Coordinates of all heavy atoms in Angstrom, one line a residue:
M21 N -12.3 7.3 5.4 CA -11.1 6.4 5.6 C -11.1 5.8 6.9 O -10.7 4.6 7.1 CB -9.8 7.2 5.3 CG -9.6 7.5 3.8 SD -8.0 8.0 3.4 CE -7.9 9.6 4.1
R22 N -11.6 6.5 7.9 CA -11.7 5.9 9.3 C -12.6 4.7 9.3 O -12.4 3.7 9.9 CB -12.0 6.9 10.3 CG -10.9 7.9 10.5 CD -11.2 8.9 11.6 NE -10.1 9.7 11.8 CZ -10.1 11.0 12.0 NH1 -11.3 11.7 12.0 NH2 -9.0 11.7 12.2
A23 N -13.7 4.8 8.6 CA -14.7 3.7 8.5 C -14.0 2.5 7.8 O -14.2 1.3 8.2 CB -15.9 4.1 7.7
A24 N -13.2 2.8 6.8 CA -12.5 1.7 6.1 C -11.5 1.0 7.0 O -11.3 -0.2 7.0 CB -11.7 2.2 4.9
D25 N -10.8 1.8 7.9 CA -9.9 1.3 8.9 C -10.7 0.3 9.9 O -10.2 -0.7 10.2 CB -9.3 2.4 9.7 CG -8.1 3.0 9.0 OD1 -7.8 2.6 7.8 OD2 -7.5 3.9 9.5
R26 N -11.9 0.7 10.3 CA -12.6 -0.1 11.2 C -13.0 -1.4 10.5 O -12.8 -2.5 11.1 CB -13.9 0.6 11.7 CG -13.6 1.7 12.7 CD -14.9 2.3 13.3 NE -15.8 2.9 12.4 CZ -15.7 4.1 12.0 NH1 -14.8 4.9 12.4 NH2 -16.6 4.6 11.1
A27 N -13.4 -1.4 9.3 CA -13.7 -2.6 8.5 C -12.4 -3.5 8.4 O -12.5 -4.7 8.5 CB -14.3 -2.3 7.2
T28 N -11.3 -2.8 8.1 CA -10.1 -3.6 7.9 C -9.7 -4.3 9.2 O -9.3 -5.5 9.2 CB -8.9 -2.6 7.5 OG1 -9.3 -2.1 6.2 CG2 -7.6 -3.4 7.4
R29 N -9.8 -3.6 10.3 CA -9.5 -4.2 11.6 C -10.3 -5.4 11.9 O -9.9 -6.4 12.4 CB -9.6 -3.1 12.7 CG -8.5 -2.2 12.9 CD -8.6 -1.4 14.1 NE -7.5 -0.3 14.1 CZ -7.7 0.9 13.6 NH1 -8.8 1.3 13.1 NH2 -6.7 1.7 13.7
R30 N -11.6 -5.3 11.6 CA -12.5 -6.4 11.8 C -12.1 -7.6 11.0 O -12.1 -8.7 11.5 CB -14.0 -6.0 11.5 CG -14.6 -5.2 12.6 CD -16.1 -5.0 12.4 NE -16.6 -4.6 11.1 CZ -16.7 -3.3 10.8 NH1 -16.5 -2.3 11.7 NH2 -17.1 -2.9 9.6
H31 N -11.8 -7.4 9.8 CA -11.4 -8.5 8.9 C -10.0 -9.1 9.4 O -9.9 -10.3 9.4 CB -11.3 -8.1 7.5 CG -12.6 -8.0 6.8 ND1 -13.3 -9.1 6.4 CD2 -13.3 -6.9 6.4 CE1 -14.4 -8.7 5.8 NE2 -14.5 -7.4 5.8
V32 N -9.1 -8.3 9.7 CA -7.8 -8.8 10.2 C -8.0 -9.6 11.5 O -7.4 -10.6 11.7 CB -6.8 -7.6 10.4 CG1 -5.5 -8.1 11.1 CG2 -6.5 -7.0 9.0
Q33 N -8.8 -9.1 12.4 CA -9.0 -9.8 13.7 C -9.7 -11.1 13.4 O -9.5 -12.0 14.2 CB -9.9 -8.9 14.6 CG -9.1 -7.7 15.2 CD -10.1 -6.7 15.9 OE1 -11.3 -6.8 15.8 NE2 -9.4 -5.8 16.6
A34 N -10.5 -11.2 12.3 CA -11.1 -12.5 12.0 C -10.2 -13.4 11.2 O -10.5 -14.5 10.9 CB -12.4 -12.2 11.1
G35 N -8.9 -13.0 11.0 CA -7.9 -13.8 10.4 C -7.9 -13.7 8.8 O -7.3 -14.5 8.2
H36 N -8.6 -12.7 8.3 CA -8.7 -12.6 6.8 C -7.5 -11.8 6.3 O -7.0 -10.9 7.0 CB -9.9 -11.9 6.4 CG -11.2 -12.5 6.8 ND1 -12.3 -11.8 7.3 CD2 -11.5 -13.8 7.0 CE1 -13.3 -12.6 7.6 NE2 -12.8 -13.9 7.5
C37 N -7.0 -12.1 5.1 CA -6.0 -11.3 4.5 C -6.8 -10.3 3.6 O -7.6 -10.7 2.8 CB -5.1 -12.2 3.6 SG -4.1 -13.3 4.5
V38 N -6.5 -9.0 3.7 CA -7.2 -8.1 2.9 C -6.3 -7.1 2.2 O -5.2 -6.8 2.7 CB -8.2 -7.2 3.8 CG1 -9.3 -8.1 4.4 CG2 -7.5 -6.5 5.0
L39 N -6.7 -6.7 1.1 CA -6.0 -5.7 0.3 C -6.9 -4.4 0.3 O -8.0 -4.5 -0.2 CB -5.8 -6.2 -1.1 CG -5.2 -5.1 -2.1 CD1 -3.8 -4.7 -1.7 CD2 -5.3 -5.7 -3.5
V40 N -6.4 -3.3 0.8 CA -7.2 -2.1 0.8 C -6.3 -1.0 0.2 O -5.1 -1.0 0.3 CB -7.6 -1.7 2.3 CG1 -8.5 -2.7 2.9 CG2 -6.4 -1.5 3.2
A41 N -7.0 -0.1 -0.4 CA -6.3 1.0 -1.1 C -6.2 2.3 -0.3 O -5.5 3.2 -0.6 CB -7.0 1.3 -2.4
T42 N -7.0 2.4 0.8 CA -7.0 3.6 1.6 C -7.0 3.2 3.0 O -7.4 2.2 3.4 CB -8.2 4.5 1.3 OG1 -9.4 3.8 1.7 CG2 -8.3 5.0 -0.1
W43 N -6.5 4.1 3.8 CA -6.5 4.0 5.3 C -6.3 5.3 5.9 O -5.9 6.3 5.3 CB -5.3 3.0 5.7 CG -4.0 3.7 5.4 CD1 -3.3 4.4 6.3 CD2 -3.3 3.7 4.2 NE1 -2.2 4.9 5.7 CE2 -2.2 4.5 4.4 CE3 -3.6 3.2 2.9 CZ2 -1.3 4.8 3.4 CZ3 -2.7 3.5 1.9 CH2 -1.5 4.3 2.1
W44 N -6.5 5.4 7.2 CA -6.2 6.6 8.0 C -5.1 6.3 8.9 O -4.2 7.1 9.1 CB -7.5 7.0 8.7 CG -7.3 8.3 9.4 CD1 -7.0 8.4 10.8 CD2 -7.5 9.6 8.9 NE1 -7.0 9.8 11.1 CE2 -7.3 10.5 9.9 CE3 -7.8 10.0 7.6 CZ2 -7.3 11.9 9.7 CZ3 -7.8 11.4 7.4 CH2 -7.6 12.3 8.5
D45 N -5.0 5.1 9.5 CA -4.1 4.8 10.5 C -3.0 3.9 10.0 O -3.2 2.7 9.7 CB -4.8 4.0 11.6 CG -3.9 3.6 12.8 OD1 -2.8 3.9 12.8 OD2 -4.5 2.9 13.7
P46 N -1.7 4.4 9.9 CA -0.6 3.6 9.3 C -0.3 2.4 10.1 O 0.3 1.5 9.6 CB 0.6 4.6 9.3 CG 0.1 5.9 9.8 CD -1.3 5.8 10.2
A47 N -0.8 2.3 11.4 CA -0.5 1.2 12.2 C -1.1 -0.1 11.7 O -0.7 -1.2 12.0 CB -1.0 1.4 13.6
I48 N -2.1 0.0 10.8 CA -2.8 -1.2 10.3 C -2.3 -1.5 8.9 O -2.8 -2.4 8.2 CB -4.3 -1.1 10.3 CG1 -4.8 0.0 9.4 CG2 -4.8 -0.9 11.7 CD1 -6.3 0.0 9.2
V49 N -1.3 -0.8 8.4 CA -0.7 -1.0 7.0 C 0.4 -2.0 7.2 O 1.4 -1.8 7.9 CB -0.2 0.3 6.4 CG1 0.5 0.0 5.1 CG2 -1.4 1.3 6.3
D50 N 0.3 -3.1 6.5 CA 1.3 -4.2 6.5 C 2.4 -3.9 5.5 O 3.6 -4.3 5.6 CB 0.7 -5.5 6.2 CG -0.1 -6.0 7.3 OD1 0.2 -5.8 8.5 OD2 -1.2 -6.6 7.0
A51 N 2.1 -3.2 4.4 CA 3.0 -3.0 3.3 C 2.5 -2.0 2.3 O 1.2 -1.8 2.2 CB 3.4 -4.2 2.6
F52 N 3.4 -1.3 1.6 CA 3.0 -0.5 0.5 C 3.4 -1.2 -0.8 O 4.5 -1.8 -0.8 CB 3.7 0.9 0.5 CG 3.2 1.8 1.5 CD1 3.9 2.0 2.7 CD2 2.0 2.5 1.3 CE1 3.4 2.9 3.7 CE2 1.6 3.4 2.3 CZ 2.3 3.6 3.4
V53 N 2.6 -1.1 -1.8 CA 3.0 -1.5 -3.2 C 3.1 -0.2 -4.0 O 2.1 0.5 -4.2 CB 2.0 -2.5 -3.8 CG1 2.4 -2.8 -5.2 CG2 1.9 -3.8 -3.0
I54 N 4.3 0.1 -4.4 CA 4.6 1.3 -5.2 C 5.1 0.8 -6.5 O 6.3 0.3 -6.6 CB 5.6 2.2 -4.5 CG1 5.0 2.7 -3.1 CG2 5.8 3.4 -5.4 CD1 5.9 3.5 -2.3
V55 N 4.3 0.9 -7.5 CA 4.7 0.5 -8.9 C 5.7 1.5 -9.5 O 5.5 2.7 -9.3 CB 3.4 0.4 -9.8 CG1 3.8 0.0 -11.2 CG2 2.5 -0.6 -9.2
G56 N 6.8 1.0 -10.0 CA 7.8 1.9 -10.6 C 7.4 2.8 -11.7 O 6.4 2.5 -12.5
A57 N 8.1 3.9 -11.9 CA 7.7 4.9 -12.9 C 7.8 4.2 -14.3 O 7.0 4.6 -15.2 CB 8.7 6.1 -12.8
E58 N 8.8 3.3 -14.5 CA 9.0 2.7 -15.8 C 7.7 1.9 -16.2 O 7.2 2.0 -17.3 CB 10.2 1.8 -15.9 CG 11.5 2.5 -15.5 CD 11.7 2.6 -14.0 OE1 11.1 1.8 -13.2 OE2 12.5 3.5 -13.6
E59 N 7.2 1.2 -15.2 CA 6.0 0.4 -15.5 C 4.8 1.3 -15.7 O 4.0 1.0 -16.6 CB 5.7 -0.5 -14.3 CG 4.4 -1.3 -14.4 CD 4.3 -2.3 -15.6 OE1 5.4 -2.7 -16.1 OE2 3.2 -2.5 -16.1
L60 N 4.7 2.4 -14.9 CA 3.6 3.3 -15.2 C 3.7 3.9 -16.5 O 2.6 4.1 -17.2 CB 3.6 4.4 -14.1 CG 3.3 3.9 -12.7 CD1 3.4 5.0 -11.7 CD2 1.9 3.2 -12.6
A61 N 4.9 4.3 -17.0 CA 5.0 4.8 -18.3 C 4.6 3.8 -19.4 O 4.0 4.2 -20.4 CB 6.5 5.3 -18.5
R62 N 5.0 2.5 -19.2 CA 4.5 1.5 -20.1 C 3.0 1.4 -20.2 O 2.5 1.0 -21.2 CB 5.1 0.1 -19.8 CG 6.6 0.0 -20.2 CD 7.0 -1.5 -20.1 NE 7.1 -2.0 -18.7 CZ 8.1 -1.8 -17.9 NH1 9.2 -1.1 -18.3 NH2 8.1 -2.3 -16.7
R63 N 2.4 1.7 -19.1 CA 0.9 1.7 -19.1 C 0.2 2.9 -19.7 O -1.0 3.0 -19.7 CB 0.4 1.5 -17.6 CG 0.9 0.2 -17.0 CD 0.4 0.1 -15.6 NE 0.9 -1.1 -14.9 CZ 0.6 -1.5 -13.7 NH1 -0.2 -0.8 -13.0 NH2 1.2 -2.6 -13.2
G64 N 1.0 3.8 -20.2 CA 0.5 4.9 -20.9 C 0.1 6.1 -20.1 O -0.7 7.0 -20.6
L65 N 0.6 6.3 -18.9 CA 0.3 7.5 -18.1 C 0.9 8.7 -18.8 O 2.0 8.7 -19.4 CB 0.8 7.3 -16.7 CG -0.2 6.7 -15.7 CD1 -0.4 5.2 -16.0 CD2 0.3 6.8 -14.3
T66 N 0.2 9.8 -18.7 CA 0.7 11.1 -19.2 C 1.8 11.6 -18.3 O 2.0 11.1 -17.2 CB -0.4 12.1 -19.3 OG1 -0.8 12.5 -17.9 CG2 -1.6 11.6 -20.1
R67 N 2.5 12.6 -18.8 CA 3.6 13.2 -18.0 C 3.0 13.8 -16.7 O 3.6 13.6 -15.6 CB 4.2 14.4 -18.7 CG 5.2 13.9 -19.7 CD 5.9 15.1 -20.3 NE 6.7 14.7 -21.5 CZ 7.4 15.5 -22.2 NH1 7.5 16.8 -21.9 NH2 8.1 15.1 -23.2
G68 N 1.8 14.4 -16.7 CA 1.2 14.9 -15.5 C 0.8 13.8 -14.6 O 1.0 13.9 -13.4
Q69 N 0.3 12.7 -15.1 CA 0.0 11.5 -14.2 C 1.2 10.9 -13.6 O 1.2 10.5 -12.5 CB -0.8 10.5 -15.0 CG -2.2 11.0 -15.4 CD -2.9 10.0 -16.4 OE1 -2.2 9.5 -17.3 NE2 -4.2 9.9 -16.2
L70 N 2.3 10.8 -14.4 CA 3.5 10.3 -13.9 C 4.1 11.2 -12.8 O 4.6 10.7 -11.8 CB 4.6 10.1 -15.0 CG 4.3 9.0 -16.0 CD1 5.2 9.1 -17.2 CD2 4.4 7.7 -15.3
A71 N 4.0 12.5 -13.0 CA 4.5 13.4 -12.0 C 3.7 13.3 -10.7 O 4.2 13.3 -9.6 CB 4.5 14.9 -12.5
A72 N 2.4 13.2 -10.8 CA 1.5 13.0 -9.6 C 1.8 11.7 -8.9 O 1.9 11.6 -7.7 CB 0.0 13.1 -10.1
A73 N 2.0 10.6 -9.7 CA 2.3 9.3 -9.1 C 3.7 9.4 -8.4 O 3.8 8.8 -7.3 CB 2.4 8.2 -10.2
A74 N 4.7 10.1 -8.9 CA 6.0 10.2 -8.3 C 5.8 10.9 -7.0 O 6.5 10.6 -6.0 CB 7.0 10.9 -9.2
E75 N 5.0 12.0 -7.0 CA 4.8 12.8 -5.8 C 4.1 11.9 -4.7 O 4.5 11.9 -3.5 CB 4.0 14.0 -6.1 CG 3.7 14.9 -4.9 CD 2.9 16.1 -5.2 OE1 3.0 16.6 -6.4 OE2 2.1 16.5 -4.3
Q76 N 3.1 11.2 -5.1 CA 2.4 10.3 -4.2 C 3.3 9.2 -3.6 O 3.4 8.9 -2.4 CB 1.2 9.7 -4.8 CG 0.3 8.8 -3.9 CD -0.9 8.3 -4.7 OE1 -0.7 7.7 -5.8 NE2 -2.0 8.5 -4.1
A77 N 4.1 8.6 -4.5 CA 5.1 7.6 -4.1 C 6.1 8.1 -3.1 O 6.4 7.4 -2.1 CB 5.8 7.0 -5.3
G78 N 6.5 9.4 -3.3 CA 7.4 10.0 -2.3 C 6.8 10.1 -0.9 O 7.4 9.8 0.1
R79 N 5.5 10.5 -0.9 CA 4.8 10.6 0.4 C 4.7 9.2 1.1 O 4.9 9.0 2.3 CB 3.4 11.2 0.2 CG 3.5 12.7 -0.1 CD 2.1 13.3 0.1 NE 1.1 12.7 -0.8 CZ 0.7 13.0 -2.0 NH1 1.4 14.0 -2.6 NH2 -0.2 12.4 -2.6
Y80 N 4.4 8.2 0.2 CA 4.2 6.8 0.8 C 5.6 6.3 1.3 O 5.6 5.6 2.3 CB 3.6 5.9 -0.2 CG 2.2 6.1 -0.6 CD1 1.6 5.7 -1.7 CD2 1.4 6.9 0.3 CE1 0.3 5.9 -2.1 CE2 0.0 7.1 0.0 CZ -0.5 6.6 -1.2 OH -1.8 6.8 -1.5
R81 N 6.6 6.6 0.5 CA 7.9 6.1 1.0 C 8.4 6.8 2.3 O 8.9 6.1 3.2 CB 9.0 6.3 -0.1 CG 8.8 5.4 -1.3 CD 10.0 5.6 -2.3 NE 9.7 4.9 -3.5 CZ 9.8 3.6 -3.7 NH1 10.2 2.8 -2.7 NH2 9.5 3.0 -4.8
A82 N 8.1 8.0 2.4 CA 8.4 8.7 3.7 C 7.6 8.1 4.8 O 8.1 7.9 5.9 CB 8.1 10.2 3.5
M83 N 6.3 7.8 4.6 CA 5.5 7.2 5.6 C 6.0 5.8 6.0 O 6.0 5.4 7.1 CB 4.0 7.1 5.2 CG 3.1 6.7 6.3 SD 1.4 6.5 5.8 CE 1.0 8.2 5.4
A84 N 6.4 5.1 5.0 CA 6.9 3.8 5.2 C 8.2 3.8 6.0 O 8.4 3.0 7.0 CB 7.3 3.1 3.8
R85 N 9.1 4.8 5.7 CA 10.3 4.9 6.6 C 9.9 5.3 8.0 O 10.5 4.7 8.9 CB 11.2 6.0 6.0 CG 12.1 5.6 4.8 CD 13.1 6.6 4.5 NE 12.5 7.9 4.1 CZ 12.1 8.2 2.9 NH1 12.1 7.4 1.9 NH2 11.6 9.4 2.7
E86 N 9.0 6.2 8.2 CA 8.7 6.7 9.5 C 8.0 5.6 10.3 O 8.3 5.5 11.5 CB 7.7 7.9 9.4 CG 7.2 8.4 10.7 CD 6.2 9.5 10.6 OE1 6.0 10.0 9.5 OE2 5.6 9.9 11.6
H87 N 7.2 4.7 9.7 CA 6.5 3.7 10.5 C 7.1 2.3 10.2 O 6.4 1.3 10.7 CB 5.0 3.7 10.1 CG 4.4 5.0 10.4 ND1 3.9 5.3 11.7 CD2 4.1 6.1 9.7 CE1 3.4 6.5 11.7 NE2 3.5 7.0 10.6
R88 N 8.2 2.2 9.6 CA 8.9 0.9 9.3 C 7.9 -0.1 8.6 O 7.8 -1.2 9.0 CB 9.4 0.3 10.6 CG 10.5 1.2 11.2 CD 11.1 0.5 12.4 NE 12.2 1.4 12.9 CZ 12.6 1.4 14.1 NH1 12.0 0.7 15.0 NH2 13.6 2.2 14.4
I89 N 7.3 0.4 7.6 CA 6.4 -0.4 6.7 C 7.2 -0.8 5.5 O 7.8 0.1 4.8 CB 5.2 0.4 6.3 CG1 4.4 0.9 7.6 CG2 4.3 -0.4 5.4 CD1 3.3 1.9 7.3
P90 N 7.2 -2.1 5.2 CA 7.9 -2.5 4.0 C 7.3 -2.0 2.7 O 6.1 -1.8 2.6 CB 7.9 -4.0 4.0 CG 6.8 -4.4 4.9 CD 6.6 -3.2 5.9
V91 N 8.1 -1.8 1.6 CA 7.6 -1.3 0.3 C 8.0 -2.4 -0.7 O 9.1 -2.9 -0.7 CB 8.3 0.0 0.0 CG1 7.9 0.4 -1.4 CG2 8.0 1.1 1.0
Y92 N 7.0 -2.8 -1.5 CA 7.2 -3.7 -2.6 C 6.9 -3.1 -3.9 O 6.1 -2.2 -4.0 CB 6.3 -5.0 -2.4 CG 6.7 -5.7 -1.1 CD1 5.9 -5.4 0.1 CD2 7.7 -6.5 -1.0 CE1 6.2 -6.0 1.3 CE2 8.0 -7.2 0.2 CZ 7.3 -6.9 1.3 OH 7.6 -7.5 2.5
S93 N 7.5 -3.6 -5.0 CA 7.3 -3.0 -6.3 C 6.2 -3.7 -7.1 O 5.8 -3.2 -8.2 CB 8.6 -3.1 -7.1 OG 9.0 -4.4 -7.3
S94 N 5.6 -4.7 -6.5 CA 4.4 -5.4 -7.2 C 3.6 -6.1 -6.1 O 4.0 -6.4 -5.0 CB 4.9 -6.4 -8.2 OG 5.5 -7.6 -7.5
F95 N 2.3 -6.4 -6.5 CA 1.4 -7.1 -5.6 C 1.9 -8.5 -5.5 O 1.8 -9.1 -4.4 CB 0.0 -7.0 -6.1 CG -0.6 -5.7 -6.0 CD1 -0.7 -4.8 -7.1 CD2 -1.1 -5.2 -4.8 CE1 -1.2 -3.5 -6.9 CE2 -1.6 -3.9 -4.6 CZ -1.7 -3.1 -5.7
G96 N 2.5 -9.1 -6.5 CA 3.0 -10.4 -6.4 C 4.1 -10.5 -5.4 O 4.2 -11.5 -4.6
A97 N 5.1 -9.6 -5.4 CA 6.1 -9.6 -4.4 C 5.6 -9.4 -3.0 O 6.1 -10.0 -2.1 CB 7.1 -8.4 -4.7
A98 N 4.6 -8.5 -2.8 CA 4.0 -8.3 -1.5 C 3.3 -9.6 -1.0 O 3.5 -10.0 0.1 CB 3.0 -7.1 -1.5
S99 N 2.6 -10.2 -1.9 CA 1.9 -11.5 -1.6 C 2.9 -12.5 -1.1 O 2.7 -13.2 -0.1 CB 1.1 -12.0 -2.7 OG 0.0 -11.1 -3.0
R100 N 4.0 -12.7 -1.9 CA 5.0 -13.7 -1.6 C 5.6 -13.5 -0.2 O 5.9 -14.4 0.6 CB 6.0 -13.8 -2.6 CG 5.6 -14.5 -3.9 CD 6.7 -14.7 -4.9 NE 7.3 -13.5 -5.4 CZ 6.8 -12.7 -6.4 NH1 5.7 -13.1 -7.0 NH2 7.5 -11.6 -6.7
A101 N 5.8 -12.2 0.1 CA 6.4 -11.8 1.4 C 5.5 -11.9 2.6 O 5.9 -12.2 3.7 CB 7.0 -10.4 1.3
L102 N 4.2 -11.6 2.4 CA 3.3 -11.4 3.5 C 2.3 -12.5 3.8 O 1.9 -12.7 4.9 CB 2.5 -10.1 3.3 CG 3.3 -8.8 3.2 CD1 2.4 -7.7 2.8 CD2 4.0 -8.5 4.5
L103 N 2.0 -13.3 2.7 CA 1.0 -14.3 2.9 C 1.7 -15.6 3.3 O 2.8 -15.9 2.9 CB 0.2 -14.6 1.6 CG -0.7 -13.5 1.2 CD1 -1.4 -13.8 -0.1 CD2 -1.8 -13.2 2.2
P104 N 1.0 -16.4 4.2 CA 1.6 -17.7 4.6 C 1.6 -18.6 3.3 O 0.8 -18.4 2.4 CB 0.6 -18.3 5.6 CG -0.4 -17.2 5.9 CD -0.2 -16.1 4.9
R105 N 2.6 -19.5 3.3 CA 2.7 -20.4 2.1 C 1.3 -21.1 1.9 O 0.7 -21.6 2.9 CB 3.7 -21.4 2.4 CG 5.1 -20.8 2.4 CD 6.1 -21.9 2.2 NE 6.4 -22.0 0.8 CZ 7.6 -22.0 0.3 NH1 8.6 -21.9 1.1 NH2 7.9 -22.1 -1.0
G106 N 0.9 -21.2 0.7 CA -0.3 -21.9 0.3 C -1.5 -21.0 0.4 O -2.6 -21.4 0.0
A107 N -1.4 -19.8 1.0 CA -2.6 -18.9 1.1 C -2.7 -18.1 -0.2 O -1.7 -17.9 -0.9 CB -2.4 -18.0 2.3
G108 N -3.8 -17.5 -0.4 CA -4.0 -16.6 -1.5 C -4.2 -17.4 -2.8 O -4.3 -17.1 -3.8

């Protein structure tokens, strides 16, 4: 994950907008996208998968609060909030 952070930093420094699924350093996280349980249930996740997703979402929400990272419920919402108009 640290290697992914290095690559992310290089792209951000070059002015690129990047979407990454993993990181080590929360300082380089612009936002979390946490898909709601209702949507995950519609996608057919099992009870066990839903429970694991809820646990993971709780950890991400705690990290978001601690580091003041915004949380969005969809990639579309995150894109609208984070990307400059006309980008993407």
Side-chain angles (χ1 to χ4, degrees):
M21 287 194 287
R22 288 182 177 139
D25 280 0
R26 287 190 298 274
T28 299
R29 279 190 189 91
R30 284 192 305 271
H31 282 285
V32 170
Q33 289 169 349
H36 303 143
C37 294
V38 294
L39 171 66
V40 296
T42 60
W43 68 92
W44 186 262
D45 180 4
I48 66 171
V49 176
D50 292 320
F52 286 102
V53 174
I54 300 176
V55 177
E58 304 81 21
E59 176 60 28
L60 295 176
R62 279 193 294 275
R63 295 179 184 184
L65 272 67
T66 67
R67 282 187 190 178
Q69 290 170 323
L70 288 170
E75 183 179 328
Q76 185 178 49
R79 287 193 306 269
Y80 290 160
R81 287 184 191 285
M83 187 182 297
R85 280 190 301 276
E86 179 182 347
H87 296 279
R88 295 184 177 152
I89 300 169
V91 176
Y92 299 96
S93 61
S94 71
F95 289 100
S99 293
R100 287 187 296 277
L102 298 172
L103 291 176
R105 289 197 97 125

